[in-house]
Amino acid sequence: MALLEVRNLIKKFGSLVANNDVSFDVEEGAIVGLIGPNGAGKTTLFNCISGVYKPTSGKVFYEGTDITGWPPHKVARLGAVRTFQVVRPLIDMTVFDNILVGAFLKTSKLEVASEIAESCLKMCHLDDHRDKKAGSLTIGLKKRLELARAMATQPRLLMLDEVMAGLTGTELKEAVDVIKDIKSRGITLLVVEHIMEAIMPIADKVVVLDSGVKIAEGPPSEVVQDERVIAAYLGEKFSKRLREMKA
Amino acid sequence: MAIFLQVVLDGLLNGMLYALITVGLSLIWGVMDVINFAHGEFLMVAMYVTYWLGFLMNVDPLISWIASAAFVFILSVIVYKLVISPLIGKPPLSALLATFGLSMLIKNICLNRFSPNFKLLSDTYLGGRVIPMGDLILPLPQLVIAIVSLIVITCIYRFMTRSRTGWAIQATAMDRDAAELMGIDTSKIYALVFGIGGACVGIAGGLLPMYMPVHPEAGSLFSLIAFVCVALGGFGSIVGSLLAAILVGLVEALVGFYVAPIFKYVAVFGLYLIVILIRPKGLFGW
Amino acid sequence: MSKRWGRVIASIIVIALLAGFAVSGVACAEEKVIKIGTLFPLTGPVALAGQRCKAAVEAAVEVINNSYPDIPVPLADQEGILDGYKIVLIHADHQGKPDVGKSEAERLFDQEGVFAIIGSYNSAVTKPASMVAERRKRIFMCGASSSAELTKRGTRYFFRIAPTDETESIEFVNFIKWLNETEGTNYKTFGVIYENTEFGKHAAQEAKKAIEEAGFEYVADVAFNPGATNLNSEVQMLKGKNPDVVFGACLGADYILWIKTMKQLSWLPKVSLNYCSGYQDPLIAQQLGGDGDYFMGTTGYSPELAELMPAVAPVEEIYKSKIDPPVPFDSDSIQEAVAMLVLAQAIEKVGSLDTEKIVDALYANEWDSPLSLGGKVAFAPGGQNIKAMSTITQLIGGEYRRVFPEEFANAEPVVPMPSWDQRK
Amino acid sequence: MTDFALEVRDLYAGYEGVPVLHGISFEVKEGEIVAIVGANGAGKTTTLRTVSGLLRPKSGFVKFYGEDVTGLPAHVMVRKGLTYVPEGRRIFGKLSVKENLELGAFKEESGEVVEQRLEWVYSLFPILKERINQKAETMSGGEQQMLAIARGLMSAPKVILLDELSLGLQPSLVEKVLQIVTEIRRYGVTVLLVEQRVLEALEIADKGYVIQSGRVVMSGSSKDLLESEEIKRAYLGM
Amino acid sequence: MWYGVLLLIAVLPLIPGPLQSPFAQHVLVLTLLFACMSQAWNILGGYCGQVSFGHSVFFGIGAYGAGMAVVTYGLTPWPGAIIGALLAAIVSLIISYPCFRLKGHYFAIATFAIVEIFNRLFMVWYWVGGALGLDYPIIEEGWKNFMWFQTKTQYYYGAFGLFILIFSFVRWMEANKLGYYLKAVRDGQEAAEALGVNSTAVKLTAIAISAFLAALCGAFFVQYNLRVDPPMVMSLDMSMRFVLITILGGLGTFWGPLLGAAILIPLQEYSRAMWGGLGGGVDLIIFGILIVLIVTRQPKGVMGFINLLTTRFKATKGGDD
């Protein structure tokens, strides 16, 4: 049994079908990439899994439990925690306090929570910014904060929505390292990403969405060569570059 | 039946008056995201202008409302420059606080200058005139206000949707920076919107002394009702404020007559809560 | 770091604040003065009445402090009282709010060290403010608050000059009885329209009691929120029940709106009797023009009563100089002047500033009061002026004509009121 | 002196007391595509906001065709011929595509001219013509980005500032949008481009400036920059 | 060191001298009371970010609780205050059900409407005194009845006790899970929920606590004034004061409410004492001007100003950045 199972999920907004009959699994301990063009319904899918939206039909199972339509905080308490594409730092709180909020999920004691927060701060290389207001950070740091905060909840499944968008080469490398580090701690990851260079080498599996429909699923090396994926998403030039990179 | 119709008519006419007061507030709120707490005081100032013009120079409110509107327009623009513009982009509550201080200021300056006396223009051209229609009585001053209200609101609506400036206002409301990048002078737009908002309430205040006495507290309840109408209609929606104001007028009249006068505002505020339960952004909010 | 600074500055401000108190309580130099506090609503919704009351007390003090041998009012012919003591007024504003009234009363006593307080127009404020005096065993003179309950509290230091809404209600009902007997009218149904405040509700309660005790029918009880934007449904309601007689307890702007709305809906009761200020305000009468005609109400004083009270005119001149625009006394403000004068007389009579003796004297004597209708003031236990009197007047052509009781009357009442279309 | 379409010297600027730019200088010649690249928070967007007039600089100056325009508000800059297409598109979501475009030509009074320009941008972005009456917010991210550029072009600018065109776009669209930039240049519009995708940006630009913590740390022709080891290491992750 | 400050304040009224002046004590009592009340409001409005104009309802319920216990039932005010506070908490939960769904200004206006509804209903509800209000009879003074007539020192200690209670609660809250959760909900509800914060539960907790404490303040207020009627306690005007004080001092800061009250209340009381008697509303004009000036100069409140000073101070001290 996979850690997360999405079965025949449909989400409609009025007449607009954002997700149409999407099914896939996220295996325990894996990194699963979710890619697709803008408006393909990736974020909607994310929202349906994490409880922000209620799916029109279909089911979401977490560890075999049907969590379809559960409110976000309950999903989070089960151990499936997400980040946001448009970062949502708690702007008037300091970086450390932001992480602390996450850490309080598993404990009510300030001392314990502080310890957890401290370690997450280190893990995401935010030590230098500990007491800064989260609102004053640059985008890159905010993304890292988002990650640190989610990690502080000590999740089993981490769902990352474009944490790497807008990062430069060096920053990207750091981020990839952090993600690898997270994986090494036994945490499962579901990652929505545009930066193919980053996701391809680390993902165990990639799911490709287009116009709300799953058009491909499989290991990255296969997906990159899939005609439908190239047409809908990657573009010829980029696909070539990716393949060259691999080679 | 005749009584029912009369009550409905009264409610309708009052609703139109509320609409005229509301639309200005709604415009300011929708475009600038500023709660103008001194809105009622602008109304009161306009009433004083009309009163003094009538008292000192014998100008009838039917004419002097233009002066009142112009006066409040200028006052609003000045208030915008001095008080509001430093607060644009600051926490939304600060503008509310500043206008609260302003309302206190205006109210007490009027008290200080004009004394707390109730002032009424005793013989205006339309004052007390009615058109009897069978069993129904159609009071002329209220009718005139209702008609003016309709005309003004239609004009504003057309202005907002048809004119270039109206467009610019809409664009500014949606995204100030982006509007600025279209070549729109948004601080001028803000001043203009604040001025128009003031002018609307100025027109209402200019006509009210036909039957309402003026005193420093005259605007208080009106502004409270206007707040509810704005939220009921949905911030920034002109059609919304019109319909909400009429609805408020009707509910007030019907409950006032068929339940008890003392409950009429309870009903109005209760109506708002009920509507907001069903439509959290008001009747026409987006 | 910044948290610590917050604390430091917070404590600095608190300390600065405390230090501020050190310089605050500067006392007046001890001269031959008697400090009297006034406590009226100088701002807020009833500021108008409050400012007039304040001016009235000032006028009374002017008369007491200076020598006006021509004015036939006690203490006018001498300068000051107690051999040259002058009265100094300390004014305070309670904004129409009971909590402010109470703390201002405390401030007047404790901080300003006034000997007594005169106030405070709104019954709702007079209640807690006079309790402050009672607990300090100081005198609280009340001119115009009309709630009957004030003088039923078993207080010792509280005195009220004006008639209560209870006595006024009984007088109203007696007037209707008298009309039915003498004019051959047959008025049976009554309604009350009142603002839903302490003042209005009290008046309505007393009215209801009086009406029902007299065996009349109480058909319409219409309360409204003061400061109304319109009174359409209120008047519609009255029109629907169509009582013969309407008692009104509407202040200022609401009174104007009430009459204007009745005109628009072209309805009138046969008789309308009004408590308190809307009707009594001469400015309002003037502004309403012909529309205000034929309404009736109680009047403790109006210029038309001057022939009964010749002493008022010269005092009124002084009063007019203190208020802008100059208006004559009205029933409320003149009571405050009376309160001041009676207090001064009591002090003079006792010959010292011994509160207990003065209180005893106030109860024990009947005081000359040329500014009161009836000319006398005397207090029953609880502090009510048992000589309080008022006439019922009818406003016609801007003139308050006295119609009842017969001993004061100078005109026949015009009943029923001519309907709107019969007026020009 | 008027060699430069845009000349920026020693620009200092920031938000609410937090300085971001510490003396930025660069220049753009007429008809060039110039790219400003750099990491997150380096001050790229702040630079554009300051040049376009949305933000007042603390010191330094901005010259536009030799005229000192430092600190002029944005709406005046638009009238002068400098248009800024902001980061995150900032289109008017509730308005239709056509209304958005017409607003772009707000300063233009003549209807005829507006019509001509509409035709022009439709020829550049045929997809927009298909969507004339669609509400802007219902379009996909790529289409919205095109609309934003088109709207900027509607004011017929001499210089257009483009901020993070590729942000949040899928790889195939990034390619397309950047292609359009080179097309714009052919109409004689000078382009100042800010990009995080260093490689893609430098590929189309004539000249590049690399900024870091509010300062220009490197500049030169795109070709030189692309070959520089430092750039490769720091920004291309190679 | 702030314990020291508290101690200082506690001892000061005992020192003979200017502070024995009842008016100075009155100003102190009011300052503390409004600091408490604003802090209670701050829990919901500042820390949790739900700007409510409805707190005078809770304040009023507490006031009526104490008032009715004494006036209607002839008891001591204590049980009334507790029942009132519990009732306020329950009412707050009922009210918040519809209101918490609303965003921004819609929430503000809804709380407006609620105050007006309560005000008008209490005006005609004669079981609680209606428009006539409740007046305290003269009964024995002392802690049992919580009333004193001659001196204000005990009121001062009462207010001080309330101050300690509310401020230490907020201090505790700030350093605990609840405090962090409140701020998280304020700064980003969705983000907080994604981190496992049940935002509805957090907001309900905040409003219930806030209402409970506000009601206690209301009970104190009525014991201090010995009269209660709806316009006195349940009015928009009253609500505005809590909001005003907190924002002036600094929204969502621990010391903000005290600072705001320490500025606004003495200002209001002294200006009225000085100019109120003139009758021209001069005190209110000055008050209005000051509010406008302070807000336009420093929209983040006095605490914002202090923070600015601190940063400048640090900068001049040459600390690294």
Side-chain angles (χ1 to χ4, degrees):
Chain A
M1 185 183 64
L3 183 63
L4 181 78
E5 297 165 58
V6 177
R7 289 285 169 271
N8 308 99
L9 194 127
I10 298 175
K11 176 68 192 174
K12 293 181 185 169
F13 296 101
S15 60
L16 183 85
V17 185
N19 292 134
N20 197 358
D21 203 20
V22 177
S23 303
F24 66 94
D25 288 351
V26 177
E27 290 79 14
E28 177 114 44
I31 297 182
V32 175
L34 189 59
I35 60 174
N38 298 86
K42 303 184 299 288
T43 299
T44 309
L45 188 61
F46 241 62
N47 284 336
C48 286
I49 297 171
S50 62
V52 176
Y53 296 152
K54 210 174 171 153
T56 313
S57 73
K59 296 265 181 237
V60 180
F61 296 95
Y62 178 81
E63 287 189 292
T65 319
D66 182 358
I67 59 164
T68 320
W70 283 26
H73 64 95
K74 274 177 93 177
V75 176
R77 283 179 188 189
L78 276 185
V81 176
R82 62 153 322 166
T83 66
F84 291 91
Q85 179 187 357
V86 181
V87 284
R88 304 205 173 160
L90 308 169
I91 45 169
D92 273 347
M93 300 171 79
T94 64
V95 168
F96 186 72
D97 288 354
N98 261 270
I99 303 173
L100 212 48
V101 170
F104 270 122
L105 184 66
K106 288 283 160 68
T107 174
S108 291
K109 290 214 174 65
L110 182 64
E111 297 76 37
V112 184
S114 298
E115 259 171 51
I116 301 172
E118 210 66 70
S119 72
C120 293
L121 196 70
K122 286 218 178 64
M123 194 184 85
C124 296
H125 311 294
L126 284 165
D127 315 45
D128 297 346
H129 309 282
R130 195 175 191 279
D131 293 321
K132 280 190 190 157
K133 283 259 169 81
S136 69
L137 299 181
T138 62
I139 299 262
L141 289 172
K142 281 179 183 160
K143 296 232 165 191
R144 262 194 253 168
L145 172 59
E146 192 106 343
L147 194 60
R149 216 168 51 182
M151 280 304 292
T153 62
Q154 303 181 309
R156 283 187 62 199
L157 170 65
L158 193 57
M159 300 184 278
L160 305 179
D161 196 351
E162 299 205 16
V163 277
M164 289 184 262
L167 301 190
T168 53
T170 5
E171 288 174 319
L172 256 175
K173 267 190 181 159
E174 277 177 24
V176 169
D177 289 342
V178 171
I179 289 177
K180 281 183 184 161
D181 182 23
I182 293 172
K183 188 191 174 186
S184 72
R185 294 170 193 229
I187 294 169
T188 313
L189 287 129
L190 174 60
V191 186
V192 167
E193 205 49 75
H194 263 328
I195 315 277
M196 298 309 299
E197 301 95 311
I199 188 75
M200 287 298 181
I202 53 170
D204 299 298
K205 184 170 88 178
V206 176
V207 176
V208 188
L209 288 184
D210 183 32
S211 317
V213 186
K214 185 175 87 176
I215 57 168
E217 182 177 353
S221 48
E222 285 172 24
V223 168
V224 174
Q225 292 172 34
D226 188 308
E227 283 307 317
R228 286 176 71 189
V229 177
I230 293 172
Y233 182 59
L234 293 173
E236 280 298 338
K237 190 173 157 195
F238 198 74
S239 162
K240 219 168 87 195
R241 189 184 286 167
L242 274 179
R243 268 172 279 163
E244 280 164 10
M245 230 172 86
K246 278 257 164 186
Chain B
M1 192 59 195
I3 288 188
F4 175 75
L5 287 179
Q6 182 72 50
V7 169
V8 168
L9 180 70
D10 287 342
L12 213 59
L13 292 177
N14 267 315
M16 300 301 292
L17 166 65
Y18 294 155
L20 188 52
I21 298 169
T22 303
V23 74
L25 190 67
S26 177
L27 205 59
I28 294 170
W29 213 324
V31 175
M32 305 166 68
D33 202 28
V34 162
I35 305 182
N36 181 13
F37 231 91
H39 201 64
E41 278 58 46
F42 285 1
L43 181 84
M44 180 260 293
V45 167
M47 287 171 79
Y48 269 113
V49 173
T50 295
Y51 171 79
W52 286 116
L53 282 176
F55 183 76
L56 299 174
M57 294 152 82
N58 239 335
V59 187
D60 197 84
L62 279 180
I63 296 163
S64 55
W65 64 268
I66 300 168
S68 304
F71 185 86
V72 180
F73 179 87
I74 294 165
L75 176 73
S76 303
V77 172
I78 294 171
V79 163
Y80 169 77
K81 293 270 178 217
L82 291 182
V83 180
I84 308 295
S85 67
L87 296 175
I88 296 288
K90 297 280 160 50
L93 276 177
S94 35
L96 180 141
L97 216 61
T99 50
F100 178 77
L102 192 71
S103 88
M104 211 158 164
L105 187 65
I106 297 177
K107 210 186 280 187
N108 284 291
I109 286 178
C110 287
L111 179 102
N112 192 297
R113 294 285 85 211
F114 307 139
S115 84
N117 284 324
F118 314 106
K119 300 186 189 301
L120 179 72
L121 285 177
S122 23
D123 55 348
T124 56
Y125 182 68
L126 288 179
R129 291 200 190 193
V130 296
I131 307 175
M133 300 194 313
D135 286 339
L136 281 188
I137 296 158
L138 197 59
L140 257 178
Q142 278 94 329
L143 185 68
V144 168
I145 292 179
I147 291 169
V148 170
S149 164
L150 258 189
I151 293 171
V152 168
I153 291 171
T154 318
C155 286
I156 289 183
Y157 186 75
R158 291 183 69 99
F159 170 72
M160 287 291 286
T161 49
R162 304 279 170 84
S163 75
R164 279 168 57 83
T165 317
W167 262 33
I169 291 174
Q170 280 193 48
T172 310
M174 277 181 261
D175 187 331
R176 186 181 186 189
D177 275 356
E180 184 81 13
L181 292 172
M182 302 297 104
I184 297 165
D185 185 347
T186 52
S187 54
K188 222 182 233 167
I189 292 286
Y190 274 4
L192 179 71
V193 167
F194 212 77
I196 294 176
C200 287
V201 80
I203 294 170
L207 288 166
L208 265 178
M210 286 194 291
Y211 65 97
M212 280 282 279
V214 194
H215 54 106
E217 302 274 336
S220 304
L221 190 55
F222 280 109
S223 74
L224 211 59
I225 290 174
F227 281 128
V228 168
C229 291
V230 174
L232 192 59
F235 299 111
S237 164
I238 292 168
V239 183
S241 2
L242 176 66
L243 292 184
I246 290 176
L247 192 62
V248 164
L250 284 177
V251 166
E252 182 191 320
L254 289 171
V255 171
F257 184 73
Y258 288 104
V259 183
I262 200 71
F263 286 119
K264 62 186 187 184
Y265 295 118
V266 174
V268 167
F269 295 120
L271 168 81
Y272 169 70
L273 285 186
I274 292 166
V275 169
I276 219 75
L277 255 178
I278 303 160
R279 288 188 63 92
K281 296 216 154 176
L283 293 172
F284 286 79
W286 23 263
Chain C
M1 182 66 188
S2 79
K3 269 188 182 166
R4 206 172 67 85
W5 263 93
R7 272 177 222 152
V8 171
I9 300 203
S11 39
I12 288 173
I13 289 186
V14 170
I15 291 166
L17 180 70
L18 297 177
F21 296 123
V23 285
S24 57
V26 184
C28 269
E30 281 295 318
E31 270 180 63
K32 292 182 90 178
V33 296
I34 301 169
K35 286 200 260 184
I36 304 285
T38 74
L39 183 56
F40 293 113
L42 304 179
T43 56
V46 285
L48 170 63
Q51 300 207 350
R52 287 183 183 166
C53 290
K54 171 180 167 247
V57 179
E58 282 174 343
V61 168
E62 175 96 25
V63 171
I64 297 165
N65 279 352
N66 300 301
S67 172
Y68 286 102
D70 301 337
I71 300 181
V73 168
L75 306 175
D77 52 346
Q78 63 190 60
E79 276 206 24
I81 51 175
L82 296 181
D83 283 330
Y85 270 89
K86 299 260 165 126
I87 290 174
V88 173
L89 289 178
I90 312 273
H91 300 293
D93 171 22
H94 65 61
Q95 303 171 352
K97 297 176 185 165
D99 50 325
V100 177
K102 179 185 179 260
S103 61
E104 285 293 275
E106 285 170 347
R107 183 176 66 83
L108 286 174
F109 281 127
D110 301 336
Q111 192 78 11
E112 306 288 351
V114 299
F115 174 72
I117 290 180
I118 299 179
S120 32
Y121 187 73
N122 308 59
S123 301
V125 180
T126 307
K127 277 183 190 170
S130 60
M131 283 316 231
V132 169
E134 191 69 19
R135 282 164 187 140
R136 280 172 177 65
K137 304 198 188 311
R138 300 296 193 88
I139 295 170
F140 194 101
M141 299 295 290
C142 169
S145 301
S146 61
S147 163
E149 231 169 71
L150 282 170
T151 41
K152 293 178 178 171
R153 297 178 296 175
T155 52
R156 170 171 156 83
Y157 301 90
F158 178 76
F159 299 92
R160 187 234 316 260
I161 308 296
T164 67
D165 38 27
E166 186 182 15
T167 51
E168 287 185 341
S169 301
I170 292 168
E171 197 177 351
F172 283 171
V173 171
N174 287 340
F175 171 63
I176 299 297
K177 278 188 196 158
W178 175 79
L179 273 184
N180 283 348
E181 281 161 20
T182 58
E183 305 277 321
T185 53
N186 187 19
Y187 299 147
K188 282 184 305 206
T189 54
F190 285 66
V192 181
I193 181 168
Y194 58 97
E195 60 166 42
N196 192 39
T197 59
E198 157 106 32
F199 153 68
K201 185 67 195 177
H202 255 299
Q205 278 179 348
E206 299 296 348
K208 189 172 181 217
K209 214 164 66 189
I211 290 164
E212 282 171 354
E213 265 169 28
F216 290 124
E217 251 183 283
Y218 184 66
V219 295
D221 180 283
V222 181
F224 64 90
N225 300 297
T229 59
N230 67 75
L231 290 173
N232 288 32
S233 27
E234 287 78 357
V235 174
Q236 280 289 359
M237 205 132 176
L238 279 179
K239 189 178 174 182
K241 307 265 161 127
N242 202 16
D244 297 326
V245 182
V246 170
F247 292 1
C250 314
L251 295 177
D254 296 327
Y255 180 74
I256 296 176
L257 199 56
W258 175 46
I259 291 183
K260 290 270 170 195
T261 311
M262 283 203 291
K263 183 174 180 185
Q264 273 177 357
L265 293 175
S266 83
W267 177 80
L268 266 182
K270 308 216 168 47
V271 177
S272 168
L273 289 156
N274 295 281
Y275 299 90
C276 222
S277 109
Y279 167 77
Q280 292 163 351
D281 185 335
L283 272 184
I284 288 181
Q286 192 187 322
Q287 287 170 349
L288 275 171
D291 293 345
D293 279 357
Y294 307 107
F295 284 81
M296 297 187 220
T298 48
T299 305
Y301 174 78
S302 80
E304 292 75 18
L305 290 166
E307 50 181 305
L308 299 176
M309 300 143 81
V312 174
V315 183
E316 194 169 72
E317 280 312 306
I318 301 172
Y319 168 74
K320 280 181 177 172
S321 71
K322 297 193 181 295
I323 191 125
D324 178 49
V327 285
F329 274 127
D330 56 38
S331 311
D332 288 328
S333 52
I334 200 167
Q335 305 287 16
E336 307 292 348
V338 171
M340 182 67 243
L341 284 168
V342 169
L343 177 65
Q345 287 173 64
I347 295 173
E348 181 76 0
K349 177 150 190 149
V350 171
S352 77
L353 285 176
D354 183 330
T355 299
E356 293 304 321
K357 283 186 188 156
I358 293 170
V359 168
D360 289 337
L362 277 167
Y363 281 117
N365 296 287
E366 195 175 275
W367 305 95
D368 274 335
S369 177
L371 300 188
S372 298
L373 195 61
K376 297 282 181 201
V377 168
F379 297 103
Q384 177 58 30
N385 170 15
I386 43 175
K387 300 281 174 185
M389 262 190 209
S390 57
T391 60
I392 291 178
T393 57
Q394 186 170 35
L395 184 66
I396 295 175
E399 200 183 302
Y400 291 92
R401 299 192 186 164
R402 305 189 298 274
V403 296
F404 186 79
E406 278 167 295
E407 68 252 45
F408 295 130
N410 67 348
E412 285 281 302
V414 180
V415 288
M417 299 163 81
S419 65
W420 296 109
D421 43 15
Q422 284 166 10
R423 305 184 185 190
K424 51 169 176 124
Chain D
M1 267 314 284
T2 53
D3 308 347
F4 299 124
L6 192 64
E7 187 187 358
V8 171
R9 286 274 168 268
D10 290 323
L11 211 55
Y12 284 80
Y15 304 94
E16 296 196 11
V18 184
V20 178
L21 302 186
H22 304 275
I24 294 261
S25 301
F26 62 88
E27 56 273 332
V28 182
K29 285 201 193 110
E30 183 157 18
E32 268 185 332
I33 296 181
V34 172
I36 295 180
V37 295
N40 266 301
K44 303 188 299 288
T45 295
T46 310
T47 308
L48 290 200
R49 284 178 66 88
T50 315
V51 171
S52 69
L54 285 178
L55 197 67
R56 272 180 160 277
K58 275 208 195 58
S59 65
F61 67 82
V62 179
K63 278 188 176 169
F64 184 65
Y65 284 95
E67 180 192 354
D68 188 351
V69 293
T70 319
L72 288 182
H75 62 94
V76 178
M77 296 299 290
V78 176
R79 275 155 214 265
K80 290 196 180 295
L82 182 141
T83 294
Y84 171 43
V85 178
E87 185 184 358
R89 321 200 239 284
R90 308 288 283 270
I91 50 164
F92 301 110
K94 307 279 170 205
L95 299 184
S96 71
V97 169
K98 189 164 183 232
E99 285 169 325
N100 263 283
L101 291 174
E102 284 177 0
L103 267 170
F106 183 76
K107 59 165 191 158
E108 189 53 62
E109 305 262 339
S110 143
E112 224 170 285
V113 177
V114 174
E115 280 305 315
Q116 281 169 9
R117 293 214 190 127
L118 275 175
E119 286 311 312
W120 175 51
V121 298
Y122 287 151
S123 71
L124 273 171
F125 305 93
I127 184 91
L128 294 182
K129 193 162 188 180
E130 291 165 27
R131 311 257 154 135
I132 280 185
N133 292 317
Q134 197 174 330
K135 266 197 181 175
E137 63 184 355
T138 62
M139 299 201 303
S140 76
E143 289 163 354
Q144 288 188 14
Q145 187 65 69
M146 291 183 204
L147 175 59
I149 302 173
R151 190 182 63 178
L153 289 174
M154 282 298 289
S155 65
K158 293 185 204 152
V159 175
I160 190 163
L161 314 182
L162 301 173
D163 197 352
E164 303 282 10
L165 291 181
S166 69
L167 196 70
L169 291 187
Q170 68 213 52
S172 56
L173 275 179
V174 173
E175 209 177 287
K176 207 167 163 190
V177 166
L178 289 178
Q179 217 168 17
I180 287 165
V181 174
T182 51
E183 236 170 277
I184 292 172
R185 187 236 305 255
R186 272 195 267 132
Y187 289 93
V189 182
T190 310
V191 178
L192 177 61
L193 188 70
V194 150
E195 260 300 335
Q196 237 160 50
R197 291 191 179 240
V198 177
L199 180 66
E200 284 86 346
L202 290 180
E203 271 177 0
I204 60 162
D206 302 312
K207 202 165 70 181
Y209 290 86
V210 181
I211 65 173
Q212 212 173 63
S213 327
R215 294 178 182 89
V216 175
V217 291
M218 218 191 287
S219 64
S221 76
S222 305
K223 230 170 136 197
D224 294 347
L225 286 177
L226 272 173
E227 280 162 10
S228 136
E229 283 303 316
E230 275 175 275
I231 296 275
K232 278 186 182 163
R233 212 179 43 240
Y235 296 102
L236 302 178
M238 287 175 186
Chain E
M1 93 150 238
W2 66 285
Y3 298 104
V5 175
L6 288 188
L7 198 72
L8 191 71
I9 306 175
V11 171
L12 271 172
L14 290 183
I15 304 169
L19 280 173
Q20 286 290 352
S21 139
F23 185 64
Q25 287 190 349
H26 160 76
V27 176
L28 268 182
V29 170
L30 272 198
T31 304
L32 280 180
L33 176 65
F34 277 95
C36 290
M37 189 50 225
S38 305
Q39 186 69 284
W41 182 88
N42 197 23
I43 294 174
L44 184 71
Y47 287 100
C48 194
Q50 306 291 314
V51 174
S52 142
F53 291 96
H55 265 53
S56 61
V57 169
F58 313 135
F59 186 77
I61 291 175
Y64 271 100
M68 287 187 64
V70 176
V71 179
T72 317
Y73 297 106
L75 304 168
T76 68
W78 299 95
I82 301 295
I83 292 170
L86 290 174
L87 217 63
I90 293 167
V91 169
S92 76
L93 293 178
I94 297 168
I95 287 175
S96 50
Y97 172 69
C99 291
F100 277 156
R101 297 173 56 220
L102 308 176
K103 302 253 152 66
H105 294 322
Y106 289 93
F107 179 78
I109 300 288
T111 55
F112 257 56
I114 284 168
V115 175
E116 288 299 317
I117 289 176
F118 266 82
N119 177 299
R120 281 157 214 274
L121 286 180
F122 269 62
M123 282 298 272
V124 291
W125 190 17
Y126 279 89
W127 184 64
V128 299
L132 301 180
L134 298 171
D135 277 287
Y136 277 47
I138 295 185
I139 49 176
E140 188 194 335
E141 62 179 343
W143 285 98
K144 181 172 149 255
N145 285 326
F146 203 88
M147 60 178 79
W148 298 273
F149 311 131
Q150 295 299 338
T151 146
K152 297 211 176 284
T153 317
Q154 286 90 336
Y155 275 123
Y156 172 78
Y157 284 116
F160 192 67
L162 204 56
F163 174 79
I164 298 280
L165 172 76
I166 293 177
F167 274 66
S168 26
F169 171 78
V170 172
R171 192 39 125 196
W172 173 86
M173 187 193 81
E174 265 195 332
N176 272 282
K177 189 171 173 175
L178 178 61
Y180 285 97
Y181 273 19
L182 286 181
K183 289 194 217 167
V185 169
R186 171 192 71 191
D187 282 358
Q189 189 167 323
E190 278 185 35
E193 284 186 0
L195 296 172
V197 179
N198 183 349
S199 64
T200 316
V202 167
K203 283 197 267 185
L204 290 179
T205 315
I207 198 170
I209 294 173
S210 181
F212 184 89
L213 296 177
L216 288 185
C217 296
F220 183 93
F221 186 75
V222 69
Q223 288 301 123
Y224 189 64
N225 286 307
L226 303 176
R227 174 186 163 79
V228 57
D229 63 30
M232 230 173 117
V233 290
M234 261 183 211
S235 61
L236 209 52
D237 219 44
M238 197 43 123
S239 284
M240 277 309 291
R241 278 160 89 179
F242 312 143
V243 184
L244 208 65
I245 287 171
T246 316
I247 297 180
L248 199 65
L251 195 65
T253 61
F254 179 72
W255 291 109
L258 179 63
L259 278 175
I263 293 167
L264 220 57
I265 299 293
L267 186 71
Q268 167 194 312
E269 295 297 307
Y270 281 110
S271 68
R272 194 178 61 231
M274 251 184 268
W275 298 299
L278 297 178
V282 179
D283 52 329
L284 298 176
I285 292 178
I286 292 171
F287 203 56
I289 292 177
L290 270 170
I291 292 174
V292 173
L293 275 183
I294 293 174
V295 175
T296 47
R297 295 270 144 224
Q298 184 44 259
K300 279 193 175 162
V302 181
M303 280 308 283
F305 182 64
I306 289 173
N307 288 337
L308 204 72
L309 277 184
T310 337
T311 18
R312 275 203 197 142
F313 180 73
K314 272 197 248 171
T316 50
K317 255 177 99 182
D320 51 11
D321 62 90

